[in-house]
Amino acid sequence: QVQLVESGGGLVQAGGSLRLACAVAGRTFSDYAMGWFRQAPGKGREFVATISQSGRRTYFADSVKGRFTISRDNAKNTVYLQMNSLKPEDTAVYYCAANRSPPDAIFTSHHSYDYWGQGTQVTVSS
């Protein structure tokens, strides 16, 4: 079993920054592609970003491209989401997810992920 725990959410003004972290335990972290998703009230779960096992490949939703970056530290079993230039429409619960994958694979569909964290709230005020 794989356990994922997100942290770093909070309240921030528009234009500000937050860094989310997702700590992973239970299996070999470097065997997993990782993803970040978000869900706003009344909406479905939306893809945000993904990173391959090695970190060489990343991909972002158009809505966050150029503002968010994703990275991972395989020595610390942690994946990060750096969010800059935040907008009120970024307000959501953010979830990290893990997919045991071939090397350098990345995934944008939430159906592809096997394990999920409990989520962390990000609120951006205008």
Side-chain angles (χ1 to χ4, degrees):
Q1 190 72 348
V2 178
Q3 296 85 40
L4 291 77
V5 179
E6 300 97 336
S7 61
L11 173 64
V12 64
Q13 288 189 331
S17 298
L18 281 175
R19 188 195 197 199
L20 305 184
C22 174
V24 180
R27 288 290 188 270
T28 303
F29 178 65
S30 58
D31 286 345
Y32 291 83
M34 300 297 297
W36 285 97
F37 291 77
R38 66 187 181 186
Q39 189 163 14
K43 296 189 177 181
R45 195 160 294 192
E46 177 190 17
F47 166 75
V48 175
T50 181
I51 187 167
S52 61
Q53 293 177 0
S54 65
R56 284 193 293 266
R57 293 187 69 199
T58 61
Y59 189 78
F60 299 89
D62 287 343
S63 58
V64 307
K65 206 170 289 183
R67 300 188 297 123
F68 291 11
T69 58
I70 187 171
S71 61
R72 64 191 296 160
D73 186 337
N74 285 351
K76 294 184 178 180
N77 292 359
T78 303
V79 61
Y80 303 96
L81 185 69
Q82 178 67 44
M83 305 186 295
N84 299 328
S85 303
L86 282 161
K87 304 175 181 180
E89 50 264 45
D90 294 318
T91 295
V93 177
Y94 283 71
Y95 299 89
C96 69
N99 176 323
R100 182 160 187 174
S101 62
D104 288 336
I106 53 175
F107 305 91
T108 60
S109 169
H110 66 277
H111 296 294
S112 299
Y113 289 86
D114 306 305
Y115 303 100
W116 292 84
Q118 82 290 348
T120 185
Q121 177 70 46
V122 171
T123 303
V124 184
S125 63
S126 56

